[in-house]
Amino acid sequence: MKKFYFLGLLLATLTACNSTKDVANNVVTKETYWQQHVDYTMDIDVDVNKYQYKGKQTLVYTNNSPDDLNKVFYHLYFNAFQPGSQMDVRSLNIQDPDRRVRDRISKLSPDEIGYIKVNTLKQNGVAVSHETVGTILEVKLNAPIKSGESVTLEMDFDAQVPVQIRRSGRNGKEGVALSMAQWYPKLAEYDFQGWHTPPYIAREFQGVWGDFDVTIRIDKNYTIGGSGYLQNPQEIGHGYEDATKELDLPEGDKLSWHFKAPEVHDFMWAADSEYNHDVLKMENGVDLHFLYKKTLEEKYLKNWKDLQPKTAELMTYYSENVGQYPYKQYSVIQGGDGGMEYAMSTLVTGQRSYGSLFGVTAHEMAHTWFQFLLASNESLHPWMDEGFTSYISNKAVSEISKKPKANPHAGSYRSYRSIVEKKMEESLGTHADRYNTNRAYSTASYSKGNIFLSQLEYVIGKENVANGLKKYFTDFSFKHPTPNDIKRSMEKVSDLDLGWYLNEWTQTTHTIDYGVKSIEDKKITLERIGKMPMPMDVEVTYTDGTSESFNIPLRMMRGNKPTSATVIEDWGWAMPTYSFDVSKPVKSVTIDKSGLMADIDLKNNVFEVK
């Protein structure tokens, strides 16, 4: 923990000597990398009967950018849950609305809506001008925050928890009282691209790295789970206390839960008066917390018990195959509206079959690595978190459940080919909020993002991808990596040029389609039908029953993957056909026997001589 915490603090204090930016490639070079830092102190008083709370927030914001900032912005996510909000109108107009949202926001009454109302805001003790515009608080500073300086922003706010509709909310369909995600005024990110202030339209999030000190005052019958480490367990109980020591419970109707979460970029909590709270202590020092409703049916209670040792196996798998989990706690909490990842924790719905509960936990825990520790911008590049998470969680589920599959990502390939066939595909370069359909967004982010890595096993080799992920974690955890960063990590371990791959797969909708055009005597001719070029793995079966494998590198890769196949002359992408000779009469030719290449037409990948 200390190693990673120190690394995060070191990064938070870095400032740029030069502000040279390569905007075209969406990357800041390592020598000029910087990121902002926040220190939140919040005190929240909750009225569980009215679903309202009053908050005081002190925020120390350190400007590590090379720029002077004359304004700042906060996200006020709960304001989206009001009739007429952009989230409401978007859901009413998109052709395939999320079934959890649909027209529900438009029907909320005043006591059911969500809101965050900022009453006062001060900059270094002096009142500062601010305006709420939908889900964004616009703040015009009294004086610029100069490069390298810190400013203290003090806020007093009131809030109301909306009826559970999307992620956050009260009284979800499974009866969880409070799912408190995106519940506080959250400072927007400022990076080499500038401010990131998209309105909340039900997609995902981005946050500034920092430290959270949060006190939540709530009815003493409620149990809380979430981000951070509880600082006063003997004053709280509820399963957090040291059983060998006496409790020191305060008088009154409320308990004050004091949490600290170091080096995170978000803080989530959930609360209910009927939570079971189990703790599984792992041998590596990590405590796994499980909070779920006591009132669940017996079959669901059993599933939550069976989940616990498997969650420890997931934690071990991800630590070994991506990078070591740096915190000492992780919580799996019943709440929310499906599954969603947060700092050191996740919210998942709990009335599921065991397989579903294990699967959603595997996915959400994997997000701890892909978006949380490797904090890519989910709004701009959702495929980097959803896709990479799908990739590693598919592998983990396949191994831990002891149900190995030839291709654990087969579902992603089917989804991708389906959306291409229906002509609904949109580029991975599309902003998450701006996809024409929810299906296009989901397929791009989850399926095509997953295929980015699984197909890369075909391009550069499985071992190189495995090592590339570890290098990516080593180089960019506790930072905000961009698409170029995952490309460079893979290039450094494989010693191959992958600029073409990043461009074609993530910035275009070019498709892959190769076929066997002809076999004449002992000459085989392949053709590229789709626009996206790829290296070729070809298996030739001869009439005598023997087989031979060939690898045809793509010329602009400037090399080839490790392979036991016979490597022959490379193929220039502009050439529509490619021919090569073999030594014996041919019975059949198969392109990509592994099935890892996302060729959209598999019928022409096999040619049998009649």
Side-chain angles (χ1 to χ4, degrees), residues 156-172:
D156 178 272
F157 65 94
D158 296 325
Q160 179 169 284
V161 186
V163 169
Q164 178 80 51
I165 291 180
R166 191 69 184 96
R167 295 195 176 98
S168 309
R170 70 200 204 215
N171 300 329

PDB file of all heavy atoms in Angstrom, residues 156-172:
ATOM      1  N   ASP A 156     -21.220  24.926   1.255  1.00  0.00           N
ATOM      2  CA  ASP A 156     -22.336  24.431   2.043  1.00  0.00           C
ATOM      3  C   ASP A 156     -23.439  24.064   1.054  1.00  0.00           C
ATOM      4  O   ASP A 156     -23.769  24.868   0.168  1.00  0.00           O
ATOM      5  CB  ASP A 156     -22.811  25.526   3.008  1.00  0.00           C
ATOM      6  CG  ASP A 156     -24.010  25.084   3.827  1.00  0.00           C
ATOM      7  OD1 ASP A 156     -25.151  25.270   3.352  1.00  0.00           O
ATOM      8  OD2 ASP A 156     -23.817  24.548   4.908  1.00  0.00           O
ATOM      9  N   PHE A 157     -23.990  22.845   1.169  1.00  0.00           N
ATOM     10  CA  PHE A 157     -24.989  22.436   0.186  1.00  0.00           C
ATOM     11  C   PHE A 157     -26.082  21.589   0.814  1.00  0.00           C
ATOM     12  O   PHE A 157     -25.900  20.976   1.871  1.00  0.00           O
ATOM     13  CB  PHE A 157     -24.333  21.683  -0.984  1.00  0.00           C
ATOM     14  CG  PHE A 157     -23.710  20.364  -0.624  1.00  0.00           C
ATOM     15  CD1 PHE A 157     -24.415  19.167  -0.762  1.00  0.00           C
ATOM     16  CD2 PHE A 157     -22.397  20.293  -0.173  1.00  0.00           C
ATOM     17  CE1 PHE A 157     -23.846  17.940  -0.444  1.00  0.00           C
ATOM     18  CE2 PHE A 157     -21.809  19.075   0.155  1.00  0.00           C
ATOM     19  CZ  PHE A 157     -22.538  17.895   0.017  1.00  0.00           C
ATOM     20  N   ASP A 158     -27.240  21.570   0.157  1.00  0.00           N
ATOM     21  CA  ASP A 158     -28.361  20.707   0.506  1.00  0.00           C
ATOM     22  C   ASP A 158     -28.611  19.761  -0.654  1.00  0.00           C
ATOM     23  O   ASP A 158     -28.389  20.125  -1.818  1.00  0.00           O
ATOM     24  CB  ASP A 158     -29.642  21.514   0.770  1.00  0.00           C
ATOM     25  CG  ASP A 158     -29.513  22.429   1.972  1.00  0.00           C
ATOM     26  OD1 ASP A 158     -28.839  22.042   2.931  1.00  0.00           O
ATOM     27  OD2 ASP A 158     -30.084  23.535   1.941  1.00  0.00           O
ATOM     28  N   ALA A 159     -29.107  18.563  -0.342  1.00  0.00           N
ATOM     29  CA  ALA A 159     -29.336  17.594  -1.415  1.00  0.00           C
ATOM     30  C   ALA A 159     -30.512  16.686  -1.070  1.00  0.00           C
ATOM     31  O   ALA A 159     -30.858  16.507   0.097  1.00  0.00           O
ATOM     32  CB  ALA A 159     -28.081  16.765  -1.660  1.00  0.00           C
ATOM     33  N   GLN A 160     -31.099  16.151  -2.115  1.00  0.00           N
ATOM     34  CA  GLN A 160     -32.160  15.159  -1.968  1.00  0.00           C
ATOM     35  C   GLN A 160     -31.835  13.959  -2.840  1.00  0.00           C
ATOM     36  O   GLN A 160     -31.459  14.110  -4.007  1.00  0.00           O
ATOM     37  CB  GLN A 160     -33.510  15.752  -2.388  1.00  0.00           C
ATOM     38  CG  GLN A 160     -34.673  14.768  -2.281  1.00  0.00           C
ATOM     39  CD  GLN A 160     -36.018  15.448  -2.432  1.00  0.00           C
ATOM     40  OE1 GLN A 160     -36.486  16.112  -1.514  1.00  0.00           O
ATOM     41  NE2 GLN A 160     -36.642  15.291  -3.602  1.00  0.00           N
ATOM     42  N   VAL A 161     -31.985  12.774  -2.273  1.00  0.00           N
ATOM     43  CA  VAL A 161     -31.701  11.530  -2.987  1.00  0.00           C
ATOM     44  C   VAL A 161     -32.897  11.200  -3.881  1.00  0.00           C
ATOM     45  O   VAL A 161     -34.022  11.095  -3.384  1.00  0.00           O
ATOM     46  CB  VAL A 161     -31.441  10.367  -2.011  1.00  0.00           C
ATOM     47  CG1 VAL A 161     -31.008   9.117  -2.774  1.00  0.00           C
ATOM     48  CG2 VAL A 161     -30.416  10.760  -0.960  1.00  0.00           C
ATOM     49  N   PRO A 162     -32.681  11.017  -5.176  1.00  0.00           N
ATOM     50  CA  PRO A 162     -33.808  10.703  -6.053  1.00  0.00           C
ATOM     51  C   PRO A 162     -34.301   9.275  -5.864  1.00  0.00           C
ATOM     52  O   PRO A 162     -33.584   8.421  -5.338  1.00  0.00           O
ATOM     53  CB  PRO A 162     -33.217  10.886  -7.455  1.00  0.00           C
ATOM     54  CG  PRO A 162     -31.767  10.548  -7.282  1.00  0.00           C
ATOM     55  CD  PRO A 162     -31.402  11.063  -5.916  1.00  0.00           C
ATOM     56  N   VAL A 163     -35.523   9.036  -6.290  1.00  0.00           N
ATOM     57  CA  VAL A 163     -35.997   7.663  -6.403  1.00  0.00           C
ATOM     58  C   VAL A 163     -35.017   6.902  -7.288  1.00  0.00           C
ATOM     59  O   VAL A 163     -34.510   7.441  -8.277  1.00  0.00           O
ATOM     60  CB  VAL A 163     -37.419   7.646  -7.007  1.00  0.00           C
ATOM     61  CG1 VAL A 163     -37.830   6.237  -7.395  1.00  0.00           C
ATOM     62  CG2 VAL A 163     -38.417   8.243  -6.026  1.00  0.00           C
ATOM     63  N   GLN A 164     -34.708   5.667  -6.925  1.00  0.00           N
ATOM     64  CA  GLN A 164     -33.746   4.881  -7.704  1.00  0.00           C
ATOM     65  C   GLN A 164     -34.198   4.738  -9.148  1.00  0.00           C
ATOM     66  O   GLN A 164     -35.249   4.163  -9.426  1.00  0.00           O
ATOM     67  CB  GLN A 164     -33.590   3.495  -7.089  1.00  0.00           C
ATOM     68  CG  GLN A 164     -32.653   2.566  -7.837  1.00  0.00           C
ATOM     69  CD  GLN A 164     -31.197   2.830  -7.526  1.00  0.00           C
ATOM     70  OE1 GLN A 164     -30.822   2.897  -6.370  1.00  0.00           O
ATOM     71  NE2 GLN A 164     -30.379   2.987  -8.547  1.00  0.00           N
ATOM     72  N   ILE A 165     -33.407   5.289 -10.056  1.00  0.00           N
ATOM     73  CA  ILE A 165     -33.668   5.151 -11.490  1.00  0.00           C
ATOM     74  C   ILE A 165     -32.422   4.645 -12.193  1.00  0.00           C
ATOM     75  O   ILE A 165     -32.443   3.622 -12.867  1.00  0.00           O
ATOM     76  CB  ILE A 165     -34.135   6.494 -12.105  1.00  0.00           C
ATOM     77  CG1 ILE A 165     -35.538   6.842 -11.580  1.00  0.00           C
ATOM     78  CG2 ILE A 165     -34.148   6.413 -13.638  1.00  0.00           C
ATOM     79  CD1 ILE A 165     -36.094   8.140 -12.107  1.00  0.00           C
ATOM     80  N   ARG A 166     -31.301   5.355 -12.013  1.00  0.00           N
ATOM     81  CA  ARG A 166     -30.062   4.952 -12.682  1.00  0.00           C
ATOM     82  C   ARG A 166     -28.900   5.100 -11.724  1.00  0.00           C
ATOM     83  O   ARG A 166     -28.573   6.203 -11.300  1.00  0.00           O
ATOM     84  CB  ARG A 166     -29.857   5.803 -13.943  1.00  0.00           C
ATOM     85  CG  ARG A 166     -28.745   5.296 -14.845  1.00  0.00           C
ATOM     86  CD  ARG A 166     -29.131   3.965 -15.516  1.00  0.00           C
ATOM     87  NE  ARG A 166     -28.030   3.424 -16.302  1.00  0.00           N
ATOM     88  CZ  ARG A 166     -27.175   2.499 -15.855  1.00  0.00           C
ATOM     89  NH1 ARG A 166     -27.290   2.028 -14.631  1.00  0.00           N
ATOM     90  NH2 ARG A 166     -26.217   2.049 -16.629  1.00  0.00           N
ATOM     91  N   ARG A 167     -28.313   3.962 -11.337  1.00  0.00           N
ATOM     92  CA  ARG A 167     -27.153   3.857 -10.458  1.00  0.00           C
ATOM     93  C   ARG A 167     -27.443   4.340  -9.041  1.00  0.00           C
ATOM     94  O   ARG A 167     -27.444   3.570  -8.115  1.00  0.00           O
ATOM     95  CB  ARG A 167     -25.950   4.613 -11.037  1.00  0.00           C
ATOM     96  CG  ARG A 167     -25.427   4.034 -12.342  1.00  0.00           C
ATOM     97  CD  ARG A 167     -24.034   4.575 -12.686  1.00  0.00           C
ATOM     98  NE  ARG A 167     -23.519   3.942 -13.864  1.00  0.00           N
ATOM     99  CZ  ARG A 167     -23.575   4.457 -15.096  1.00  0.00           C
ATOM    100  NH1 ARG A 167     -24.132   5.634 -15.287  1.00  0.00           N
ATOM    101  NH2 ARG A 167     -23.077   3.808 -16.127  1.00  0.00           N
ATOM    102  N   SER A 168     -27.640   5.647  -8.874  1.00  0.00           N
ATOM    103  CA  SER A 168     -27.861   6.208  -7.547  1.00  0.00           C
ATOM    104  C   SER A 168     -29.339   6.183  -7.196  1.00  0.00           C
ATOM    105  O   SER A 168     -30.196   6.031  -8.062  1.00  0.00           O
ATOM    106  CB  SER A 168     -27.381   7.667  -7.511  1.00  0.00           C
ATOM    107  OG  SER A 168     -26.077   7.780  -8.004  1.00  0.00           O
ATOM    108  N   GLY A 169     -29.630   6.381  -5.901  1.00  0.00           N
ATOM    109  CA  GLY A 169     -31.024   6.587  -5.551  1.00  0.00           C
ATOM    110  C   GLY A 169     -31.465   5.868  -4.304  1.00  0.00           C
ATOM    111  O   GLY A 169     -30.700   5.152  -3.652  1.00  0.00           O
ATOM    112  N   ARG A 170     -32.736   6.062  -3.982  1.00  0.00           N
ATOM    113  CA  ARG A 170     -33.323   5.498  -2.771  1.00  0.00           C
ATOM    114  C   ARG A 170     -34.347   4.428  -3.119  1.00  0.00           C
ATOM    115  O   ARG A 170     -34.997   4.479  -4.163  1.00  0.00           O
ATOM    116  CB  ARG A 170     -33.992   6.607  -1.961  1.00  0.00           C
ATOM    117  CG  ARG A 170     -35.251   7.169  -2.594  1.00  0.00           C
ATOM    118  CD  ARG A 170     -35.564   8.533  -2.031  1.00  0.00           C
ATOM    119  NE  ARG A 170     -36.975   8.880  -2.137  1.00  0.00           N
ATOM    120  CZ  ARG A 170     -37.426  10.101  -2.359  1.00  0.00           C
ATOM    121  NH1 ARG A 170     -36.571  11.094  -2.523  1.00  0.00           N
ATOM    122  NH2 ARG A 170     -38.711  10.350  -2.400  1.00  0.00           N
ATOM    123  N   ASN A 171     -34.450   3.462  -2.228  1.00  0.00           N
ATOM    124  CA  ASN A 171     -35.491   2.437  -2.329  1.00  0.00           C
ATOM    125  C   ASN A 171     -35.519   1.774  -3.704  1.00  0.00           C
ATOM    126  O   ASN A 171     -36.508   1.839  -4.428  1.00  0.00           O
ATOM    127  CB  ASN A 171     -36.862   3.042  -2.009  1.00  0.00           C
ATOM    128  CG  ASN A 171     -36.913   3.608  -0.602  1.00  0.00           C
ATOM    129  OD1 ASN A 171     -36.240   3.096   0.303  1.00  0.00           O
ATOM    130  ND2 ASN A 171     -37.668   4.670  -0.412  1.00  0.00           N
ATOM    131  N   GLY A 172     -34.392   1.145  -4.054  1.00  0.00           N
ATOM    132  CA  GLY A 172     -34.313   0.423  -5.322  1.00  0.00           C
ATOM    133  C   GLY A 172     -35.271  -0.749  -5.349  1.00  0.00           C
ATOM    134  O   GLY A 172     -35.929  -1.073  -4.356  1.00  0.00           O
TER     135      GLY A 172
END
